[in-house]
Amino acid sequence: QVQLVESGGGLVQAGGSLRLSCAASGRTFNSYAMGWFRQAPGKEREFVSTINYSGSSTYYADSVKGRFTSSRDNAKNTVYLQMNSLKPDDTAVYYCAAAPRYGTIAPTNGVVREGLYDYWGQGTQVTVSS
């Protein structure tokens, strides 16, 4: 069982930055692919980013590419999402997710399926004002 606890969300003006953190309890955390997803009000949850077990490989949705950066510190069992140049359209609940069955997950046609991830955090609210 993997438990994920997210933090770092909040209110920020357009153009600002936030860094989200996700602390994991898994004893084999350094073997898991991890991912970030988000869900805006009234919309389906969508893929944001994926990072492989070591942090050497990352992928991003087109909507955040060049603005968001995923990283991980396996010694701390923690993954991060650095969000820069935030836009009002980035307003959403952000979730981190763990994929113990995979060390690396790469998008297909720019999309990563939620079903590849077995454990999810509680979500943290990010609100970007105009």
Side-chain angles (χ1 to χ4, degrees):
Q1 184 179 7
V2 178
Q3 295 183 25
L4 306 172
V5 180
E6 303 180 31
S7 61
L11 175 65
V12 65
Q13 292 185 343
S17 298
L18 285 173
R19 189 179 76 158
L20 306 183
S21 299
C22 178
S25 64
R27 58 187 175 90
T28 56
F29 176 78
N30 62 3
S31 70
Y32 301 166
M34 298 287 293
W36 290 96
F37 296 77
R38 68 186 183 185
Q39 186 170 23
K43 299 183 67 176
E44 297 292 321
R45 190 156 57 189
E46 66 178 355
F47 163 70
V48 175
S49 178
T50 184
I51 184 168
N52 78 336
Y53 67 97
S54 69
S56 64
S57 180
T58 57
Y59 300 90
Y60 304 92
D62 288 343
S63 59
V64 307
K65 194 173 300 181
R67 300 187 298 119
F68 291 11
T69 303
S70 297
S71 61
R72 68 195 295 163
D73 186 342
N74 286 343
K76 297 181 178 179
N77 274 26
T78 302
V79 295
Y80 306 94
L81 183 67
Q82 178 67 46
M83 305 184 295
N84 298 325
S85 301
L86 283 162
K87 306 174 181 179
D89 285 349
D90 295 319
T91 295
V93 177
Y94 283 72
Y95 300 88
C96 73
R101 293 174 290 160
Y102 303 94
T104 300
I105 294 175
T108 299
N109 297 321
V111 175
V112 171
R113 290 181 284 118
E114 291 187 15
L116 300 177
Y117 296 85
D118 298 317
Y119 300 95
W120 295 79
Q122 79 284 0
T124 185
Q125 176 71 48
V126 172
T127 302
V128 184
S129 63
S130 301

